[in-house]
Amino acid sequence: MVATINTNFISQFSDNLHLLLDQRGSKLKGLFMEEAKHGEKHFFDRLGNFSATEVVTRLQPVVLQDPAHSRRMATVGRFEASTYLDNIDKLKMLIDPSNEYIRKLADTHGKNYDLTLINALLGTASTGADGSGTQALGAGQQIAHGSAGFTITKFNQAMRMLEAAEVDMDSEDIYLLLPARGVEDLMAETNYTSFDFQKDKVLGGKNLPEFRGVKIIRTQRLPEETAGSVYRGIMCSKDALKVAIAHDLEIKVGERADLNFAQQISTYMMFGAVRMEEARVIDILFQ
């Protein structure tokens, strides 16, 4: 009986924690490309552009091209969260799989994941063959607050900047990360809420519909530009960032004889992220 409870508990705990991390713990999980890697440093190659030469004469020599190659480096961090459960807790968990232990563990791992990706989008990227170079996002990728809230005008300006960088707006996934203050401003914009511009009722449910093909992600994890006065949203494309996964969520369960044979739950993830293209990230400030 005890062995059966333990087996079911471990299996159910693992399944539900993975599920909640994807569905609830993280807002950004699954948005960007993830690659399985090993070690503390992971490199992603970047290939420059080719150019086509018009053939104007018969037997014109072929021009061989070697476009610029470069690299970006993601530094992997390890994030841990552990607890322990007694036999009563295990039985409660089998009765209620979505209990608070699982929810809180999923939340903490999801928060670490999101903050790592947000810092990579806004921070300094490691560049070069050995990752010793640096590349800041740059002032040209930021829209000033202009003493105004988050407006459709700023939304459209960010879209224009991405298009100017030759981001394929028709085929590439575009995301807007936006905190509650920005969502509140957006709800006051007729161009967003009116049926003339939307196919779904904006105020009829919890989820925000897309606007101009951009998926809006609600998150309170974006750092404020100036605490309490200047806030930010981030518009970016799917290819703006890459994530190195050294270990997806790992769960270890063992008995603690010193704690009356309670089950010790140890969870950890190992991952890092790096911005691949500055032109694909727009930092939108607002008040």
Side-chain angles (χ1 to χ4, degrees), residues 219-245:
T219 176
Q220 293 301 115
R221 293 166 181 168
L222 297 175
E224 297 176 358
E225 175 71 1
T226 304
S229 62
V230 180
Y231 311 96
R232 64 163 32 94
I234 301 175
M235 186 178 290
C236 61
S237 74
K238 185 180 182 69
D239 291 339
L241 188 81
K242 284 192 176 180
V243 184
I245 301 289

Side-chain angles (χ1 to χ4, degrees), residues 180-200:
R181 286 181 178 269
V183 172
E184 184 179 355
D185 291 341
L186 199 57
M187 292 298 186
E189 293 279 337
T190 302
N191 283 9
Y192 182 72
T193 58
S194 173
F195 256 14
D196 292 336
F197 303 93
Q198 289 285 7
K199 63 180 181 180
D200 299 317

Side-chain angles (χ1 to χ4, degrees), residues 154-166:
K154 290 182 178 180
F155 185 103
N156 290 336
Q157 183 181 351
M159 292 280 286
R160 183 170 67 250
M161 292 170 68
L162 290 179
E163 291 189 76
E166 297 188 355

Side-chain angles (χ1 to χ4, degrees), residues 14 17-18 21 109 247-251 267-270:
S14 177
L17 187 51
H18 278 91
L21 177 64
H109 283 296
H247 269 293
D248 208 343
L249 183 62
E250 192 81 14
I251 302 167
T267 66
Y268 70 91
M269 293 181 70
M270 293 179 65

